[in-house]
Amino acid sequence: MMKLVTWNVNSIRQRCDHVLDYLAREQPDVLALQEIKCATDLFPADAFRKAGYECTAVGQKSYNGVAMLARQPFTVTHTALPGWETTPPQARYVEIRTGGLVVGNLYLPNGNSGGSAGYDSKLAFMEALALHARGLLQAGQDFVLMGDYNVCPTDEDCAPGALPPTDALVRPESRAAFRRLLWLGLTDALRALHPAGRFYTFWDYQAAAWQRDSGLRIDHALLSPRVAERLLTALPARDERGKPQPSDHVPLAITLADAMA
DNA sequence: ATGACCGGCCCGGCCGGA
């Protein structure tokens, strides 16, 4: 069995102990982190190495930043999303190969800041991601694309009144771009196992969102066809949000059966 | 009910987040 987890930690330096606790308790094979919010050399790799994980971080001062932790050796296949460039650069993608899988870790632009250019950049990221996924499919590669997509795919993924209909997370163009990923043949792991119901991964720090369960499902794991056949479980770790000094996102964990020989 | 928070930056409020 293989366990893969995605978690937007909203600063790894603030959340290092939470992550170490999670690793000790849940023993994931791969952990994809987003919003580490530090330069690469400030990523606390030593702490994770002591816990039995090799790391690679693609950092950036103050904003964004992604990192991968894995128990087995891995190779880094990309440190940026092919076909998506900005000036200055933004650390929003890292990809590794481990355990017979390519695992892409993404932090999609929110799309609410920077006016129409900011929103266009979000759509451009999604278009580049679709092209990249298509290439992996054509190469016959088994893969998982997991991370903070900053998209609520349907109304059921958004608590009533949590966002106005004009918000970049729920706009029709954002949802259409997410559906295009599914139309390539990718499987939304959570919905494959739980077709209906509330499975939020984010609750805003503001307006008592957690206490009111005013959440969003915006963190996702998309699976290539053969990987989807191996899917056993998919669930957000809701309890993380109730802990002291939590991230506003919780981990989303999936487990896969071993591949057929 | 985005009124209500949080983190980085580097000490004073502002930017970005979703």
Side-chain angles (χ1 to χ4, degrees):
Chain A
M1 199 188 72
M2 192 170 182
K3 182 188 282 193
L4 300 102
V5 178
T6 175
W7 193 1
N8 178 323
V9 289
N10 187 21
S11 170
I12 191 58
R13 288 175 290 176
Q14 291 298 319
R15 232 64 66 191
C16 194
D17 288 344
H18 294 70
V19 173
L20 287 169
D21 283 351
Y22 184 86
L23 292 174
R25 213 168 51 246
E26 299 295 331
Q27 298 281 307
D29 295 286
V30 176
L31 176 59
L33 301 174
Q34 302 90 38
E35 278 206 273
I36 63 172
K37 286 187 170 177
C38 64
T40 302
D41 59 332
L42 293 177
F43 184 79
D46 289 343
F48 298 130
R49 208 166 285 128
K50 281 188 188 119
Y53 287 83
E54 283 305 309
C55 314
T56 189
V58 178
Q60 176 182 341
K61 189 178 181 179
S62 306
Y63 304 115
N64 310 316
V66 288
M68 291 295 234
L69 279 59
R71 289 203 288 187
Q72 298 300 320
F74 60 84
T75 57
V76 177
T77 48
H78 289 285
T79 56
L81 178 63
W84 190 78
E85 287 103 30
T86 60
T87 43
Q90 299 175 49
R92 291 182 178 273
Y93 191 80
V94 63
E95 184 186 283
I96 66 171
R97 188 193 307 273
T98 184
L101 289 179
V102 161
V103 185
N105 171 12
L106 58 117
Y107 175 46
L108 234 141
N110 172 302
N112 281 311
S113 65
S116 61
Y119 187 64
D120 289 347
S121 182
K122 174 178 194 160
L123 294 181
F125 189 107
M126 297 187 81
E127 176 66 18
L129 186 63
L131 285 171
H132 185 56
R134 200 173 67 178
L136 290 169
L137 288 166
Q138 284 170 351
Q141 175 66 57
D142 291 344
F143 63 93
V144 177
L145 296 176
M146 65 198 323
D148 179 356
Y149 280 72
N150 269 319
V151 175
C152 290
T154 73
D155 287 346
E156 197 170 20
D157 301 312
C158 180
L163 294 175
T166 53
D167 192 282
L169 278 65
V170 298
R171 277 180 49 178
E173 298 92 332
S174 306
R175 287 177 166 176
F178 187 82
R179 285 195 299 274
R180 279 198 289 278
L181 292 168
L182 304 182
W183 291 340
L184 288 172
L186 306 189
T187 296
D188 177 343
L190 189 287
R191 283 300 180 209
L193 294 178
H194 308 283
R198 297 178 179 188
F199 290 87
Y200 303 144
T201 63
F202 167 91
W203 294 261
D204 202 307
Y205 290 124
Q206 298 188 70
W210 169 243
Q211 287 75 11
R212 297 186 293 116
D213 195 25
S214 180
L216 308 172
R217 188 174 77 95
I218 52 177
D219 299 273
H220 309 295
L222 300 192
L223 315 178
S224 67
R226 277 191 304 271
V227 176
E229 294 297 322
R230 296 163 53 194
L231 182 63
L232 298 173
T233 67
L235 210 60
R238 250 185 96 89
D239 55 321
E240 285 292 337
R241 188 62 177 80
K243 294 184 175 178
Q245 281 83 51
S247 169
D248 41 5
H249 296 248
V250 298
L252 170 68
I254 68 166
T255 57
L256 305 174
D258 291 332
M260 292 297 176

